[in-house]
Each structure stands twice: as structure tokens, then as C-alpha cells.
Amino acid sequence: CFINSILTGILAQAQALQPVKIIIFLWMGNHLHLLLVVQEPDDVVRFMERVKTESAHIINRLRGTTHRPLWHRSYDAPTLLTADD
């Protein structure tokens, strides 16, 4: 799908700019699931900011709208410290 390709490209770009490793991701109809490996928790904040901003810009352009919110301001980012978690 065209949108999946765009969104996957946004993830790749954000990963190239932030020190995170994407283990797996799943774009759902209205949200994203990610499993990341990071050294610093602040890297997740910057990574998600990039993903949310770039995807909102592109999707709004495709919809013919500007400055419409696409993502909720917050997101859930639980920390998993072990493989069992």
C-alpha cells in the first residue's frame, strides 16, 4: 500500500536521525505499535516527535488539509528491561 510505504520511510528516516533500533513495528488504522531498543529514554521522545510530525505533514497534504491534528499529544511508552518483560 502507498501509505504503508510512506510511513515505513518515515520510520527509517527517524531511525537514521535518532539512536534507536526498531525491532518491529505495526501500523494500525489509527495508531502505531513499536518495539525499540534505546540507550537513553529521551531518544524515544525525539524519535516519536519526528515520526508524528512527518507523518502528520504528509497525511494532511494527501488529504488536502493543513495543520489538522493527526496524533494524540501523548503516547504510551512502557519500559521493558528484560526479555521476559
Side-chain angles (χ1 to χ4, degrees):
C1 173
F2 177 67
I3 294 294
N4 273 347
S5 296
I6 290 171
L7 296 174
T8 301
I10 290 168
L11 286 176
Q13 180 187 47
Q15 181 178 239
L17 295 172
Q18 297 300 324
V20 303
K21 180 178 180 182
I22 299 172
I23 302 301
I24 194 166
F25 67 91
L26 175 63
W27 290 102
M28 303 290 288
N30 62 352
H31 63 283
L32 167 65
H33 291 270
L34 286 164
L35 181 59
L36 305 173
V37 174
V38 301
Q39 296 300 314
E40 297 294 328
D42 286 345
D43 295 336
V44 175
V45 174
R46 289 187 289 277
F47 175 83
M48 288 305 298
E49 182 178 279
R50 168 72 61 168
V51 169
K52 290 167 69 173
T53 299
E54 293 302 319
S55 60
H57 287 162
I58 289 173
I59 291 170
N60 277 327
R61 268 187 256 139
L62 290 171
R63 292 176 14 190
T65 59
T66 57
H67 304 295
R68 288 195 62 198
L70 183 67
W71 298 102
H72 193 275
R73 285 183 183 253
S74 65
Y75 53 89
D76 186 26
T79 301
L80 307 176
L81 299 176
T82 68
D84 290 338
D85 292 339

